[in-house]
Amino acid sequence: MTNQESTRMKINIGPQHPSTHGVLRLVLELDGEIIKSCEPIIGYLHRGMEKMAENRTYLQYLPTVDRIDYLGGFFNAYAFCDAVESLAQIEVSERTQYIRVLTMEMNRLSSHLLWLGTFMLDMGATSPLFYTFRDREEILSLFEELTGQRMMYNYYTFGGLRHDVTNVWLEKITDFIKKMPRKIQDYENIITDNPIFVTRTENIGIISKHAALQYSITGPNLRASGIEVDYRKQNPYLVYNELDFDIPSAENGDSFDRYTLRIAEMYECLKIISQCVAWLIENPGEVVSSVKQPLLKVPEGEFISNVEAPRGVCSCYVKSDGTGTPYRAKWRTGSYYAVQILPKLLENSFYPDLMAIFGSLDVILPEVDR
Amino acid sequence: MDYLYSLYIEFLNKFNLPFHLGDFIAMVSFPLLPFCIVAAALIVIVIFLVLMERKVLAFFTQRKGPNRVGPWGLFQTISDAIKLLCKENITPTGAEKFMFNLAPLLAFVPVMVVWGLIPFSSEFDFMSYSVSALLFVTIASIPILGILLAGYASNNKYSLIGSVRAVAQAISYELPLIFVLLSVVVLSSSLNLKQIVLAQISAYPICGWFIFPAFLGFLIVFICSIAELNRCPFDLPEAESELVSGYNTEYSGMKFAFFFLAEYAMMFIMCAFIATLFLGGFLSPFGFYLSEKLISNEFWSNVFVYFEQVFWIFLKTFFLIYCMMLVRATLPRLKTHQLTGFAWKVLLPLSFLNLLIVCLIKGVA
């Protein structure tokens, strides 16, 4: 052992630690306050989501997929429904599609709000957590009113939805999104212009364009690096091509850019939501599918559906052998790849930067382990 | 203090005790009395401060704060304290037992000592020395030793990093603080805290307060004291997102309570110290005392003036504490090297500048 190595300290962050957003374990090697190496150890939350699909019917599997990313349950449910609908060639009515977009964007908003609060908590500011949770609470209450659940919604069915939305509910959303821009502006006022926050996040944890592509980073983390890839624009699914919204992007790929990008995305979410609400109020229709859900048999074939989830592209691969259960299901989620790049980002950075980098990547562990 | 002593002997002699027992009791018990009063007052203040902090933070974050135990949650801290007292005293197997148990005491006892140095009114200055300002700074830096010891003796890596950070922070932030103290000494020509307060009396109310010539110094001391107290945004030694709980990770029960108590008590004492140095300490902001105007009896008005002075210094202290809580609710945490860099590159030069300005003002006036 050389002299330099003997002064290093190995320190374990997690799996039970106040700030790992779940059960991630990081084995760090510290030289004073500088991180020399980092080894993420995952698998503490592995529930066998993919294997579970193989001995359940399609309908039995559907409620469980909400748990893959518990902060964005609608995205997972949609990815799975989309794969099954495409394989079984089930028609989805336009109203259903609009409601799906509406709920998914609301979900994205709540997910980003939670991220903002916990990110600031990681940085040592406690107040934003309560502010963002207050707004998220309103979204969750709306979801609860719609689906009966606050997080594990189980609202989508193959070819439709459990039940239609009411106009009263839509009006509540209109009220909600009216006051949101001012609130997000408030958060920006206390966070974006804060010199401590800016110096702590600027030029920290830079993901270059090249590295982002190399490590298959997707979602806001990729767009913060200056690559404008968003499946809602490039590969429009549902009714996204009929909606008017922008894809925010940033240049540097540092923690600060990832923050500003998610803030910008929240405004875009509001834009999409208001368009959906306007359309839904004017166009009533049928959303409950006529497909016999429990007896659904999917013809032989395979399909990959891609969804732009809050934490990157969420892909669901389903292979069917013609029976009532999937032959194989495979999930690809954004967080997994964000954890992969962590050792590269943390090398030679300061120990307090750990949370400024890790927090900005918006990783949640159930999505990594599945 | 002498006046109080004579009053006390007079009171005891009223009982006509034999063999000059009254004088004897006075001699023995008089030095003990202030200690008892000070210690009891400190505990009560800490209990109130913890509740205040939780209520104020709740107010900033649109919550209600503690409201279950007692009316308005008043007994929440007391029930928390009882819970801490009832907890098992754990010493981790790998820890240095003696030092591990010594550390909380080292952190707590000096706090009790410096508390006595603050002049609460022109009579209630329990430990008055010609160098009490210097003594304050000296003793107030001892608790950091307890923190270092806690981090070292816990045999825990989080604790160790936390305590090393705390020491680096304390060393960096004590220097500007002492230089600003020097500027106050220049203004008042005294190192005695009571004399510093009395030097702030002027013909017009408030105008004599040292905050005006040394406003820069006031800001520096305020920032430094936040850092000394390890409070947000300088709470790196206890950064929970990196170090779980920092130097007190392994502590529980009463030993943790000592750290906790010392931290909050020190917060109050530091703010009282700043109020003494810059905000006229126990002086009334009106230039006269309300009890002088309201009470016609000379003896009682004199007595009430002392208590009114206590009220004024407490009011100023609580205002400063409120500001500290506001800062905590607003700002994120700094980074280690930003923290030390800020102390050495910004605060220290500014404290020199402050000293220069103060000397010029003193020279002109």
Side-chain angles (χ1 to χ4, degrees):
Chain A
M1 191 189 278
T2 64
N3 192 28
Q4 205 191 357
E5 275 170 351
S6 65
T7 60
R8 289 183 183 178
M9 176 197 264
K10 270 214 166 153
I11 192 164
N12 232 324
I13 308 285
Q16 270 84 40
H17 191 276
S19 67
T20 46
H21 301 239
V23 284
L24 177 68
R25 181 172 157 209
L26 296 172
V27 180
L28 300 180
E29 212 179 328
L30 292 181
D31 184 4
E33 287 261 341
I34 297 169
I35 299 169
K36 282 293 165 192
S37 75
C38 159
E39 189 191 343
I41 296 169
I42 58 168
Y44 289 93
L45 200 60
H46 182 67
R47 293 151 298 173
M49 277 293 180
E50 288 165 4
K51 192 72 187 164
M52 252 157 79
E54 291 169 23
N55 43 30
R56 281 164 180 253
T57 65
Y58 285 96
L59 185 67
Q60 279 174 333
Y61 186 52
L62 186 58
T64 64
V65 299
D66 283 340
R67 278 113 179 123
I68 286 171
D69 173 359
Y70 56 69
L71 301 177
F74 279 131
F75 294 92
N76 299 316
Y78 171 69
F80 184 63
C81 284
D82 185 37
V84 174
E85 281 154 10
S86 308
L87 279 175
Q89 281 157 4
I90 300 167
E91 280 292 312
V92 181
S93 72
E94 202 174 0
R95 187 173 167 84
T96 306
Q97 294 193 20
Y98 266 100
I99 295 173
R100 281 182 178 182
V101 170
L102 170 69
T103 47
M104 266 162 35
E105 291 304 322
M106 293 270 285
N107 206 184
R108 191 191 309 278
L109 188 60
S110 81
S111 171
H112 280 358
L113 280 171
L114 184 128
W115 164 82
L116 181 61
T118 50
F119 179 45
M120 290 313 290
L121 189 66
D122 286 344
M123 308 274 292
T126 40
S127 303
L129 182 79
F130 295 102
Y131 299 149
T132 57
F133 263 65
R134 175 191 57 192
D135 298 339
R136 180 171 173 266
E137 182 63 30
E138 284 192 41
I139 300 179
L140 292 194
S141 300
L142 287 166
F143 280 159
E144 191 181 9
E145 198 181 327
L146 179 69
T147 68
Q149 283 277 9
R150 290 163 60 79
M151 284 168 88
M152 313 303 171
Y153 311 107
N154 192 19
Y155 180 57
Y156 300 164
T157 58
F158 305 118
L161 304 165
R162 294 242 167 262
H163 43 75
D164 201 354
V165 295
T166 59
N167 278 354
V168 181
W169 189 76
L170 290 173
E171 271 154 29
K172 278 183 190 168
I173 290 190
T174 322
D175 292 341
F176 172 72
I177 54 175
K178 255 183 209 149
K179 59 189 178 191
M180 265 319 275
R182 230 194 83 224
K183 284 185 173 177
I184 300 174
Q185 190 60 49
D186 276 352
Y187 307 149
E188 277 206 85
N189 289 345
I190 57 170
I191 299 167
T192 317
D193 302 330
N194 187 320
I196 297 178
F197 175 77
V198 174
T199 44
R200 275 205 68 180
T201 50
E202 253 180 356
N203 297 321
I204 294 295
I206 298 172
I207 304 179
S208 65
K209 272 184 192 181
H210 181 67
L213 293 175
Q214 243 184 347
Y215 281 84
S216 310
I217 301 287
T218 46
N221 297 337
L222 177 71
R223 293 194 284 278
S225 299
I227 301 170
E228 284 186 47
V229 173
D230 190 319
Y231 273 44
R232 288 174 292 173
K233 278 274 188 223
Q234 262 85 26
N235 184 14
Y237 50 93
L238 292 173
V239 286
Y240 276 112
N241 47 7
E242 290 167 30
L243 298 166
D244 168 40
F245 64 101
D246 298 318
I247 301 299
S249 73
E251 277 300 307
N252 304 324
D254 55 7
S255 288
F256 186 71
D257 276 2
R258 288 193 278 277
Y259 157 79
T260 46
L261 189 114
R262 285 201 175 83
I263 293 280
E265 257 187 22
M266 286 192 210
Y267 288 114
E268 296 305 318
C269 282
L270 292 174
K271 241 196 232 176
I272 299 173
I273 293 167
S274 63
Q275 290 171 49
C276 287
V277 170
W279 191 94
L280 284 169
I281 288 174
E282 279 176 13
N283 299 281
E286 188 56 44
V287 295
V288 180
S289 166
S290 57
V291 177
K292 287 213 166 47
Q293 305 282 340
L295 306 169
L296 181 71
K297 282 210 167 42
V298 175
E300 214 168 309
E302 55 187 347
F303 191 81
I304 301 178
S305 63
N306 297 311
V307 182
E308 188 67 39
R311 271 160 270 276
V313 173
C314 169
S315 307
C316 177
Y317 166 82
V318 177
K319 183 171 175 154
S320 170
D321 55 359
T323 60
T325 49
Y327 178 74
R328 175 85 171 92
K330 168 89 182 86
W331 289 88
R332 181 249 187 254
T333 46
S335 291
Y336 184 80
Y337 296 86
V339 168
Q340 255 186 355
I341 202 171
L342 205 54
K344 183 183 156 71
L345 293 182
L346 286 180
E347 210 180 322
N348 289 326
S349 64
F350 281 89
Y351 186 41
D353 289 341
L354 167 69
M355 286 337 288
I357 295 170
F358 180 59
S360 73
L361 289 173
D362 192 12
V363 171
I364 71 161
L365 267 293
E367 212 190 38
V368 178
D369 292 339
R370 298 191 288 276
Chain B
M1 221 55 199
D2 296 337
Y3 180 59
L4 281 181
Y5 188 56
S6 62
L7 275 182
Y8 186 57
I9 290 181
E10 207 175 295
F11 169 74
L12 281 175
N13 283 337
K14 274 184 187 165
F15 295 103
N16 288 324
L17 296 165
F19 313 118
H20 298 287
L21 208 57
D23 287 353
F24 180 70
I25 292 175
M27 203 173 71
V28 175
S29 66
F30 190 70
L32 283 176
L33 267 183
F35 176 77
C36 296
I37 296 169
V38 160
L42 193 61
I43 304 290
V44 173
I45 286 167
V46 167
I47 284 175
F48 179 71
L49 265 188
V50 175
L51 182 74
M52 178 184 164
E53 167 128 62
R54 292 177 68 175
K55 279 284 183 190
V56 168
L57 283 182
F59 169 68
F60 285 132
T61 52
Q62 313 200 328
R63 291 177 291 130
K64 282 193 170 135
N67 63 354
R68 295 288 120 173
V69 189
W72 204 66
L74 274 175
F75 303 136
Q76 181 65 51
T77 328
I78 296 169
S79 80
D80 286 349
I82 292 169
K83 185 205 76 179
L84 279 176
L85 279 168
C86 297
K87 278 200 162 182
E88 190 189 346
N89 243 335
I90 300 167
T91 310
T93 9
E96 290 276 344
K97 217 172 177 182
F98 175 69
M99 288 204 273
F100 185 79
N101 292 326
L102 180 67
L105 290 178
L106 258 182
F108 181 65
V109 173
V111 173
M112 278 293 195
V113 178
V114 287
W115 176 231
L117 285 169
I118 306 276
F120 297 104
S121 79
S122 44
E123 275 306 311
F124 302 154
D125 53 337
F126 299 113
M127 287 154 66
S128 188
Y129 304 106
S130 55
V131 290
S132 52
L134 205 57
L135 198 63
F136 181 95
V137 184
T138 318
I139 302 178
S141 61
I142 294 178
I144 201 70
L145 196 62
I147 290 176
L148 179 65
L149 220 56
Y152 173 71
S154 297
N155 193 20
N156 179 316
K157 287 168 185 172
Y158 301 124
S159 304
L160 185 64
I161 295 176
S163 66
V164 168
R165 280 180 179 184
V167 171
Q169 194 168 315
I171 291 171
S172 322
Y173 280 85
E174 237 153 54
L175 274 173
L177 199 144
I178 288 168
F179 273 106
V180 174
L181 182 64
L182 196 60
S183 71
V184 173
V185 172
V186 167
L187 281 170
S188 64
S189 318
S190 171
L191 269 168
N192 182 313
L193 285 171
K194 191 172 143 191
Q195 293 304 322
I196 288 174
V197 174
L198 294 179
Q200 297 182 46
I201 297 175
S202 66
Y204 305 100
I206 298 183
C207 293
W209 293 4
F210 290 158
I211 187 173
F212 298 110
F215 184 69
L216 191 60
F218 170 73
L219 288 181
I220 293 168
V221 164
F222 188 69
I223 294 168
C224 286
S225 59
I226 294 178
E228 289 266 293
L229 296 165
N230 296 336
R231 283 180 64 80
C232 198
F234 303 104
D235 56 347
L236 282 137
E238 315 169 39
E240 81 284 341
S241 60
E242 298 144 27
L243 299 175
V244 189
S245 184
Y247 59 86
N248 57 29
T249 305
E250 293 287 352
Y251 283 88
S252 65
M254 207 49 218
K255 287 179 221 162
F256 170 74
F258 269 126
F259 278 118
F260 196 66
L261 209 63
E263 201 175 298
Y264 275 87
M266 205 57 206
M267 177 161 110
F268 189 82
I269 295 165
M270 269 308 220
C271 288
F273 185 61
I274 299 172
T276 306
L277 293 187
F278 295 102
L279 301 177
F282 52 73
L283 300 179
S284 160
F286 304 125
F288 61 87
Y289 293 105
L290 295 174
S291 22
E292 276 174 355
K293 301 264 162 174
L294 296 176
I295 300 165
S296 47
N297 182 322
E298 198 182 335
F299 173 76
W300 284 111
S301 89
N302 272 341
V303 168
F304 272 99
V305 162
Y306 300 144
F307 286 100
E308 200 190 321
Q309 286 173 332
V310 176
F311 168 75
W312 286 124
I313 189 169
F314 270 49
L315 193 73
K316 290 163 188 174
T317 308
F318 274 114
F319 172 72
L320 288 172
I321 289 173
Y322 181 80
C323 293
M324 278 191 181
M325 288 170 180
L326 181 67
V327 168
R328 175 177 168 179
T330 316
L331 294 178
R333 193 180 295 128
L334 278 165
K335 218 156 52 174
T336 339
H337 60 283
Q338 281 175 349
L339 178 102
T340 40
F342 184 61
W344 292 100
K345 291 179 195 159
V346 182
L347 289 182
L348 196 59
L350 280 180
S351 66
F352 286 133
L353 181 69
N354 173 59
L355 189 58
L356 191 71
I357 294 170
V358 165
C359 287
L360 286 175
I361 291 173
K362 181 79 177 173
V364 171

